Amino acid sequence: MAKLKSSGNQQKKSVLSKTISFFIQSEYHAYLVGGYVRDTTIGIEHRDIDLVVEGDAIRAAKQLNKKLKGNLDIHKKFGTASITTKQMRIDLASARVEKYASPAKLPHVYPSAINEDLNRRDFTMNAMAMSISNENFGEIFDPFNGMEDIKKGVIRILHKESFNDDPTRIFRALRYKNRFGFKIAKTTKALMTEAINKRMIQRLSDQRILNEIRLIFNETNNQDIIKDISNLTSLKIRKKDMELLPVLGSNRMYFYLSKLKYFNFPITSDEKRLVKDFHDFGNTITRLDKATKHSEIFAILSPISSEVIDIMPAVLPKLRRNVRIFRQLEKKKLFVTGNDLKRLGYKPGVKFRSILNRMRDWQLDRKIRNRKEALEYLRNIKH
Ligand code: CTP
């Protein structure tokens, strides 16, 4: 096992060293930036690499990928490219300055040099670069004293418009705060609160908010982040719901989404189903707790996703019995089907469905014991 891990790291290192040696030998000025520099400074591993290339990053990416043989994605409009190899992802961006067309909208892009590129970044700890070019290899660019802030454990924005320019930074600050156990600097906190009060988050598209929520739930300590978000922003959940998060496992994001009003998140239909099930979760649990007849248990749980049903006993242990009963009921083969009804002359429609449900309920509650009894009953009632 240990060997496997180290060979994975080895391959990762080889992607990194191939990348570095490519840039040392090339005519490009390139820099490691952002998370990679930050995490290396902190002394932890960072999965992906962000590179800033002074000049045409797309052209550089195409050449680099001849060596790495990964998947190359090009975003012409932004002058960026990414290479995905088995081991890691490398994002390349052309050094640029961004002029914000209007707050919270995606930026316009103009070419420029590394220092200007660092100026547009979110926090001092993310605004550091290390040259990987031949002439000044290893030189650190740290115009905002990011190293110092990392040492102090402080999250600090670069200028007072930062949260207005990009309100996703509110979520990012809270993510880093909880991930690293850092503090948000006093002025940064005040400007963050001001942006929240000015409803800057509401200017973001639902897609961008969803991206941030997904990133939060990828973090180990997502509950602490949600707690902060709930305390500070309008994306709140009640204390009672917050307490449920620990038992919800990998589904907790859908539970959280189900508690947020006024959004129309672009999620898949499977995800929508989970959100809907969680929306009625409290109600379903109360009904299931009171249910005694098998037919009732079945009616309550059959529309609910299996994952959500599995979570219920963790929320209320006494539900274990009714969930177990449901799992047995699910396996039962029904005595009569729609085809039987059609054969007996019933016409599909509301009444048809209700008779079918009644037969199912009677079977589950053992009011009829076999197919013969069921068919006999169907022949005898008028239709
Ligand atoms: N960045 C920014 N403002 C944002 C998003 C990103 O300034 N709203 C910059 C930061 O310099 C950040 C870099 O882009 O370091 C890369 O962003 P991202 O990949 O999201 O973050 P990482 O720094 O890699 O950190 P992590 O993924 O660990 O959160």
Side-chain angles (χ1 to χ4, degrees):
M1 195 66 195
K3 193 158 175 260
L4 260 182
K5 203 174 162 200
S6 85
S7 82
N9 277 342
Q10 234 32 60
Q11 285 167 346
K12 207 166 157 180
K13 272 191 194 131
S14 121
V15 173
L16 180 61
S17 51
K18 276 184 191 161
T19 303
I20 290 176
S21 74
F22 166 81
F23 280 106
I24 287 179
Q25 286 160 32
S26 78
E27 83 265 27
Y28 299 102
H29 280 176
Y31 306 83
L32 284 165
V33 288
Y36 189 87
V37 182
R38 178 197 68 222
D39 286 354
T40 310
T41 309
I42 295 175
I44 55 178
E45 210 186 307
H46 190 84
R47 214 183 53 242
D48 302 322
I49 299 180
D50 276 312
L51 291 175
V52 165
V53 180
E54 283 184 359
D56 187 348
I58 293 178
R59 199 170 139 250
K62 284 180 185 163
Q63 292 167 359
L64 172 62
N65 198 39
K66 286 197 182 126
K67 297 204 181 307
L68 299 181
K69 299 185 175 40
N71 275 333
L72 176 67
D73 271 320
I74 289 176
H75 311 281
K76 246 195 178 134
K77 193 173 152 201
F78 296 106
T80 61
S82 57
I83 298 173
T84 315
T85 69
K86 268 196 204 118
Q87 294 74 30
M88 66 202 312
R89 180 186 148 118
I90 303 170
D91 286 314
L92 298 96
S94 307
R96 61 197 182 175
V97 197
E98 288 174 0
K99 295 259 158 51
Y100 286 83
S102 67
K105 294 282 174 319
L106 289 171
H108 291 169
V109 178
Y110 302 92
S112 135
I114 186 67
N115 273 322
E116 280 162 288
D117 183 279
L118 296 177
N119 286 343
R120 74 181 170 85
R121 292 180 180 263
D122 50 1
F123 307 112
T124 58
M125 62 179 182
N126 283 342
M128 301 187 291
M130 187 190 110
S131 165
I132 51 170
S133 310
N134 193 23
E135 66 203 55
N136 59 345
F137 185 89
E139 187 180 337
I140 300 284
F141 293 74
D142 181 13
F144 302 97
N145 289 326
M147 293 270 178
E148 205 48 42
D149 279 343
I150 288 176
K151 268 191 225 148
K152 290 194 233 155
V154 170
I155 300 162
R156 197 190 309 276
I157 43 168
L158 311 187
H159 57 88
K160 68 180 192 352
E161 288 305 318
S162 187
F163 289 118
N164 296 332
D165 286 347
D166 183 351
T168 64
R169 290 173 177 167
I170 297 166
F171 301 105
R172 294 174 66 83
L174 297 173
R175 225 164 19 95
Y176 292 132
K177 167 184 177 274
N178 287 287
R179 188 197 297 171
F180 300 127
F182 282 9
K183 287 202 160 46
I184 301 178
K186 211 169 152 201
T187 319
T188 299
K189 180 92 190 281
L191 289 163
M192 187 168 107
T193 311
E194 198 182 298
I196 292 168
N197 293 341
K198 277 198 307 195
R199 300 176 61 78
M200 291 310 292
I201 292 178
Q202 282 75 356
R203 296 203 193 182
L204 292 167
S205 65
D206 288 355
Q207 174 71 70
R208 291 190 77 197
I209 295 178
L210 178 66
N211 292 347
E212 293 305 317
I213 294 175
R214 286 195 196 278
L215 289 174
I216 289 166
F217 281 94
N218 278 341
E219 300 271 337
T220 326
N221 52 1
N222 48 63
Q223 283 168 72
D224 296 326
I225 310 173
I226 292 298
K227 205 172 186 178
D228 278 347
I229 290 189
S230 218
N231 286 336
L232 293 168
T233 77
S234 61
L235 276 71
K236 291 188 190 312
I237 59 170
R238 292 179 306 181
K239 196 161 169 267
K240 206 174 101 219
D241 291 331
M242 190 90 71
E243 282 161 10
L244 277 186
L245 289 177
V247 297
L248 300 178
S250 58
N251 283 309
R252 62 180 66 148
M253 183 180 94
Y254 303 110
F255 179 79
Y256 177 65
L257 291 179
S258 79
K259 303 294 164 202
L260 301 180
K261 291 175 208 143
Y262 318 118
F263 292 98
N264 185 13
F265 293 119
I267 50 178
T268 65
S269 52
D270 284 349
E271 290 181 317
K272 275 193 183 132
R273 180 144 188 239
L274 287 169
V275 170
K276 187 188 169 297
D277 291 346
F278 278 125
H279 186 72
D280 303 329
F281 196 60
N283 190 13
T284 309
I285 280 183
T286 313
R287 283 166 59 222
L288 185 63
D289 185 29
K290 287 191 189 134
T292 49
K293 288 203 285 189
H294 284 188
S295 56
E296 274 179 278
I297 296 173
F298 191 84
I300 295 168
L301 291 184
S302 59
I304 310 281
S305 339
S306 201
E307 303 92 299
V308 177
I309 295 176
D310 285 341
I311 289 168
M312 291 179 178
V315 175
L316 191 63
K318 63 177 167 161
L319 294 182
R320 186 157 292 126
R321 183 171 174 273
N322 281 356
V323 167
R324 201 181 307 126
I325 291 173
F326 173 72
R327 292 301 185 200
Q328 294 301 325
L329 299 178
E330 262 186 323
K331 286 186 214 147
K332 286 211 157 126
K333 189 168 177 286
L334 292 180
F335 294 153
V336 286
T337 65
N339 280 340
D340 292 320
L341 254 65
K342 277 189 214 156
R343 237 180 286 122
L344 289 167
Y346 288 85
K347 299 267 169 294
V350 179
K351 198 171 164 216
F352 186 94
R353 177 88 342 248
S354 101
I355 292 176
L356 210 51
N357 286 347
R358 190 192 311 159
M359 298 315 290
R360 182 202 63 209
D361 289 350
W362 283 2
Q363 176 181 347
L364 299 181
D365 293 339
R366 299 200 185 95
K367 286 186 183 158
I368 43 175
R369 280 164 301 168
N370 52 43
R371 178 170 161 82
K372 197 169 156 240
E373 277 183 25
L375 291 175
E376 215 167 272
Y377 170 81
L378 287 175
R379 273 191 211 102
N380 289 337
I381 56 170
K382 283 191 211 136
H383 56 273

